[in-house]
Amino acid sequence: MTIKVAIIGSGPSGFYTAESLLKSGQDVEVDIIDRLPTPFGLIRGGVAPDHQKTKKVAKAYEKTALNENVQYFGNVDVGKNITIDELRKTHDAVVLAVGAPTDRKLGIPGDDKIGVFGSADFVGWYNGHPDFTNLNPNLDVSAVAIVGVGNVAIDAARVLVKTPAEMAETDIAEHASIAVQKSPLTDVYMFGRRGPIEAKFTNVELREMGKLENCLPVIDPTQLPESVTGNWSDRDQRLKERNLATMREFLEVDPTNKDKKVHFEFFANPVEVLGNEKVEGLKVEKTLVEGGRAIGTGEFFTIDCGLVVAAIGYYSIPIEGVPFDTNNGIVIHEEGRVDDGVYAVGWIKRGPTGVIGTNKPDGEIAAKQILEDIRSSTKAGRDELNALLAERNVRIVNYQDWQKIEKAEVAAATGPAPRKKFVNIQDMLTVLD
Ligand SMILES: Cc1cc2nc3c(=O)[nH]c(=O)nc-3n(C[C@H](O)[C@H](O)[C@H](O)COP(=O)(O)OP(=O)(O)OC[C@H]3O[C@@H](n4cnc5c(N)ncnc54)[C@H](O)[C@@H]3O)c2cc1C
């Protein structure tokens, strides 16, 4: 008896689920469905273009995709081309692995002005995600404000200040590369409501900011405490001590010949985006941290900037027919079980936290639950999915098709760049005609 599983989403959590199902040694047929022709979710569209080593994890996913019991259904949007209810009829188990593709909103006056972007959009734009190709952020500005002090904020700052030489070996989208190179940008401000100890950077990402060719990390030494105090786990304590040491090292970076600056602004809570139609600045309230919470001091300052990027977290989109917890932006589930035969993994299950590897246990748990729950298969699986999509004239991009698209991207690369990304779906499909 073959158990038919449809996994919606080809990011890390989807692939780890498929991998675990295959590893179980059970008789499974796994269909991985993605709305984009390109697989791998945020590995392609989120992880920074200058972090190519991190993106190499996709090679392990490729092994899974090429397994004879797995089929990739790219360019198939669940909700548009086929519904969850239909998949529940065609497959024994449906796994939601759709991630958290939108931004938490800033929620301050002026956050609807032209020039305010969420990091999902901004990162998607520089990573060539087809949804954001036409975002067109105006980088003809001298200063950018990034709200948030986590790794996504640091990624965005770094991509904005690296030199063309530093970006040569990346797969930044061509439109973004041109805009960044032309930009007269000199200052990036990163705002964190709380202090340097509470900042969520991992140390590798933070350290990179001290090694940039043309950019100086700027930090107010009076904001750096003598030591890390507070109730942290041993692991967090070590990370925070490393981060504090790194920030101290920033004070020693030689400013000579550095045209750009990234300002780490801690204890600073943006309260209003200033300007008429377009962003002209940011009003910020100084804060104190009490009991781990940032409290406004009533003291304000402003900075001039022409662009604001909110990197304060991601949010999932409710899925029709699936119970959704709007407070936390995740599906309602019990240990990953959503309903009979429906499971959740990754960011749609846990919320937008953790690194790529954090999604692996989710996949293992879902695979185990599926194999425990489903004792007999009554569904037609892939054949019926193919038939339904053919009826609707959906152009399925299978894994071999994706390999052709990828080959064309690699062939189009210039210099040491690993690929030149297609940034719209039609261009990808044209390669296959
Ligand atoms: C900007 C950014 C940078 C990051 N950098 C790193 C890093 O350097 N290192 C690290 O370890 N972690 C990094 N992470 C975290 C890591 O990317 C996530 O942990 C991981 O991608 C979450 O996996 P996921 O499968 O839940 O979601 P995703 O990776 O988002 O995958 C979801 C997939 O579902 C598809 N999908 C969505 N809706 C539908 C639909 N209706 N129909 C069909 N398909 C659909 C999407 O197209 C996508 O392919 C980063 C995250 C972000 C946001």
Side-chain angles (χ1 to χ4, degrees):
M1 176 203 68
T2 307
I3 296 173
K4 285 93 178 181
V5 183
I7 298 175
I8 311 170
S10 70
S13 67
F15 267 106
Y16 288 129
T17 307
E19 186 188 300
S20 294
L21 285 164
L22 296 178
K23 272 194 184 152
S24 72
Q26 302 287 316
D27 187 2
V28 287
E29 178 186 276
V30 182
D31 295 328
I32 304 178
I33 305 170
D34 205 287
R35 57 185 281 264
L36 295 179
T38 55
F40 312 136
L42 286 169
I43 303 301
R44 179 175 164 104
V47 171
D50 57 338
H51 283 177
Q52 289 297 316
K53 266 197 199 144
T54 308
K55 289 178 189 270
K56 285 211 163 84
V57 68
K59 280 289 152 207
Y61 303 158
E62 177 158 286
K63 258 191 174 171
T64 301
L66 292 172
N67 184 289
E68 58 184 357
N69 296 321
V70 175
Q71 175 95 48
Y72 176 64
F73 286 79
N75 201 35
V76 177
D77 191 324
V78 176
K80 206 165 123 198
N81 302 125
I82 190 158
T83 65
I84 299 262
D85 282 348
E86 286 171 326
L87 286 172
R88 291 181 76 175
K89 287 183 188 132
T90 54
H91 289 71
D92 300 303
V94 175
V95 181
L96 310 172
V98 292
T102 56
D103 287 286
R104 282 200 180 271
K105 299 280 169 272
L106 267 183
I108 59 175
D111 67 358
D112 55 350
K113 290 192 195 303
I114 297 169
V116 179
F117 297 98
S119 57
D121 298 14
F122 190 70
V123 168
W125 171 74
Y126 67 59
N127 266 323
H129 190 299
D131 286 0
F132 308 109
T133 296
N134 298 321
L135 194 74
N136 220 0
N138 176 18
L139 293 191
D140 190 14
V141 297
S142 56
V144 170
I146 299 178
V147 184
V149 282
N151 281 345
V152 175
I154 257 192
D155 281 352
R158 198 180 61 250
V159 166
L160 283 169
V161 298
K162 272 194 165 179
T163 62
E166 284 173 311
M167 291 301 282
E169 291 179 28
T170 77
D171 61 359
I172 186 171
E174 189 179 42
H175 54 235
S177 171
I178 292 169
V180 171
Q181 284 180 32
K182 272 211 239 151
S183 171
L185 181 73
T186 53
D187 294 89
V188 176
Y189 296 86
M190 292 175 58
F191 292 98
R193 273 188 301 193
R194 297 184 293 165
I197 299 307
E198 287 85 9
K200 293 201 167 138
F201 319 117
T202 47
N203 191 251
V204 177
E205 275 73 15
L206 184 63
R207 271 206 318 268
E208 271 186 274
M209 299 308 282
K211 297 180 191 155
L212 299 175
E213 225 174 272
N214 191 26
C215 181
L216 182 72
V218 179
I219 210 156
D220 175 353
T222 65
Q223 292 190 337
L224 298 181
E226 284 293 309
S227 60
V228 176
T229 52
N231 257 341
W232 309 106
S233 66
D234 289 352
R235 189 173 166 275
D236 280 352
Q237 176 80 18
R238 280 196 302 276
L239 166 68
K240 286 167 192 307
E241 281 169 1
R242 276 203 298 272
N243 280 355
L244 183 57
T246 302
M247 288 188 242
R248 285 228 177 79
E249 284 161 24
F250 286 174
L251 304 174
E252 310 298 325
V253 177
D254 181 1
T256 322
N257 298 330
K258 307 266 194 211
D259 296 329
K260 299 180 197 236
K261 294 190 176 91
V262 169
H263 306 258
F264 290 80
E265 301 278 345
F266 294 111
F267 305 106
N269 183 29
V271 291
E272 186 179 353
V273 180
L274 305 172
N276 292 317
E277 273 197 337
K278 292 185 188 165
V279 175
E280 290 172 24
L282 200 60
K283 182 176 174 185
V284 184
E285 182 173 18
K286 291 189 180 175
T287 66
L288 288 170
V289 174
E290 275 177 20
R293 291 178 67 87
I295 318 257
T297 59
E299 205 182 322
F300 297 88
F301 66 97
T302 60
I303 59 138
D304 293 335
C305 62
L307 191 83
V308 173
V309 179
I312 54 172
Y314 284 61
Y315 195 82
S316 296
I317 297 174
I319 304 167
E320 207 187 320
V322 176
F324 194 75
D325 169 356
T326 43
N327 281 337
N328 296 304
I330 53 174
V331 294
I332 296 172
H333 64 90
E334 263 178 48
E335 309 270 325
R337 285 187 173 95
V338 177
D339 198 354
D340 277 354
V342 183
Y343 306 82
V345 290
W347 279 17
I348 184 77
K349 170 189 174 187
R350 288 181 286 108
T353 56
V355 292
I356 295 163
T358 319
N359 300 290
K360 196 165 184 181
D362 282 1
E364 290 164 356
I365 292 166
K368 192 163 168 274
Q369 290 171 337
I370 290 167
L371 298 171
E372 270 169 19
D373 295 351
I374 294 158
R375 295 289 173 183
S376 64
S377 174
T378 49
K379 310 290 171 75
R382 186 172 301 159
D383 290 344
E384 205 169 323
L385 174 58
N386 269 316
L388 274 173
L389 294 173
E391 230 172 65
R392 293 166 195 177
N393 290 322
V394 179
R395 170 66 166 99
I396 301 164
V397 172
N398 63 29
Y399 204 81
Q400 286 67 28
D401 290 335
W402 151 244
Q403 287 180 311
K404 282 185 202 147
I405 295 170
E406 190 182 29
K407 207 170 157 199
E409 289 192 336
V410 172
T414 48
R419 68 180 60 77
K420 180 181 169 196
K421 280 181 172 176
F422 289 111
V423 296
N424 68 64
I425 290 174
Q426 195 45 54
D427 288 349
M428 296 177 197
L429 299 183
T430 303
V431 173
L432 307 176
D433 289 340

